[in-house]
Amino acid sequence: MTWTQDPLYVSGMLCAFVLLAVWLAKFKGWKTIGTPILVILITAIAANFGIIPTATNGNPIYIGVFMYLAPMGIFIALLEVDLKSLKKAGWPILLMFCLGGLGTIVGVLVAWFLVQPAAEIGPMANAVAGMYTGTYIGGSINFNAVALSYQVNENADLFAATTVVDNLIGTPWIIATLILPKYLQSFFPRKKLLPLTNENQKIKTEESISIAGLASVLGLSFLAMAISKLFQEAPKKTSNSQLDDKALWQSVRKGNDLAFSNLLISYKEKPNGLMI
């Protein structure tokens, strides 16, 4: 393992890239792009120049990010969802979002039949299509959530290629959608529908969090991940238990004395009896 592949070095550099993106986002030109896109761009450039290892190398930091930090980040992001704000958004905005989501789904289905990705990607093609559908409807959170759910991240080459394509196509499009409205306003002027109230004028540029608040958020995140893991493993244990019981019965029918002894022990240990 080289020095640039050391987990401590990689962790420090990733944090430095986030800090650099936050600093750049304070300036007028970079502010339009936004911090998340800047982080993606800076990290992609650094990985291609060999400053940090790529995801295809299977660095333990990247594995930990996808196994723990990514699900934790999704949970924390969902904590900020305010269902009451849907009333303020109104039906026109909700309808536009639904039409956009429906258009994305139709686009992915059309691309699926035209490109036939299963021939090249294999059994993971369905998951990749779901990742692109999710990310163009709800952003990178959906992209990573689908990848984690279908274990696409465990296939380093496929996940890296999928991410690269998403960044190459998605990032310029996102930047365009952020910049174009500003210039289109001069050609197609529209009235500002947002009233200038005291509530709208008070926009927080900085946020603070206490130690108790940080502990609460992290504690809820870890508990949510533990509970989801429990529900995820329960069906697997039940299925394995059923398979073991059937195998024991088959051995008993063949006259295997050791299997008969194990069958009796298994029956005593299971309060509901054997599952055949």
Side-chain angles (χ1 to χ4, degrees):
M1 178 184 291
T2 62
W3 183 69
T4 56
Q5 295 176 335
D6 186 89
L8 294 176
Y9 169 81
V10 176
S11 302
M13 291 305 296
L14 291 177
C15 293
F17 295 153
V18 174
L19 182 61
L20 177 60
V22 172
W23 178 72
L24 288 174
K26 295 180 179 180
F27 297 95
K28 185 177 180 180
W30 301 106
K31 190 175 183 180
T32 306
I33 300 176
T35 303
I37 303 299
L38 286 174
V39 172
I40 294 173
L41 291 174
I42 294 171
T43 307
I45 293 172
N48 281 277
F49 278 95
I51 300 175
I52 58 173
T54 60
T56 55
N57 295 330
N59 192 278
I61 293 299
Y62 299 152
I63 297 174
V65 166
F66 290 121
M67 287 185 64
Y68 300 105
L69 291 185
M72 185 184 300
I74 294 172
F75 176 81
I76 294 174
L78 291 177
L79 287 178
E80 298 182 0
V81 174
D82 184 12
L83 296 178
K84 295 181 180 179
S85 61
L86 292 176
K87 296 181 180 179
K88 298 180 181 179
W91 285 109
I93 295 179
L94 295 177
L95 181 59
M96 285 191 296
F97 178 82
C98 291
L99 289 175
L102 181 61
T104 302
I105 295 173
V106 172
V108 170
L109 291 175
V110 172
W112 177 274
F113 288 106
L114 291 178
V115 181
Q116 297 292 326
E120 296 290 337
I121 300 177
M124 284 288 183
N126 295 339
V128 172
M131 290 164 62
Y132 285 135
T133 305
T135 190
Y136 286 103
I137 292 178
S140 298
I141 290 180
N142 293 345
F143 182 90
N144 291 311
V146 176
L148 291 170
S149 179
Y150 290 95
Q151 290 83 43
V152 180
N153 58 296
E154 295 180 3
N155 189 333
D157 293 333
L158 177 60
F159 184 76
T162 307
T163 305
V164 169
V165 172
D166 179 45
N167 291 334
L168 288 176
I169 304 299
T171 303
W173 172 245
I174 293 173
I175 294 174
T177 56
L178 292 173
I179 296 176
L180 282 176
K182 179 181 178 181
Y183 295 98
L184 291 176
Q185 176 69 20
S186 57
F187 295 99
F188 307 99
R190 298 174 62 90
K191 295 181 179 180
K192 295 182 179 180
L193 301 179
L194 189 64
L196 295 176
T197 61
N198 293 331
E199 182 180 355
N200 295 327
Q201 290 176 349
K202 294 179 180 179
I203 300 176
K204 292 183 178 180
T205 57
E206 296 182 0
E207 295 184 359
S208 60
I209 185 172
S210 63
I211 296 178
L214 180 62
S216 300
V217 172
L218 292 178
L220 288 173
S221 303
F222 286 124
L223 286 175
M225 292 170 60
I227 293 172
S228 63
K229 187 177 181 181
L230 177 65
F231 281 104
Q232 183 180 5
E233 293 180 351
K236 295 181 180 180
K237 292 182 179 179
T238 303
S239 177
N240 294 335
S241 177
Q242 291 175 349
L243 292 174
D244 293 342
D245 289 344
K246 290 181 179 179
L248 285 171
W249 272 110
Q250 291 175 359
S251 299
V252 170
R253 289 169 184 171
K254 293 179 181 179
N256 191 327
D257 295 336
L258 178 60
F260 182 73
S261 300
N262 292 334
L263 186 66
L264 293 176
I265 295 173
S266 179
Y267 183 79
K268 292 178 180 179
E269 290 178 350
K270 297 179 180 180
N272 297 327
L274 293 174
M275 302 178 68
I276 306 299

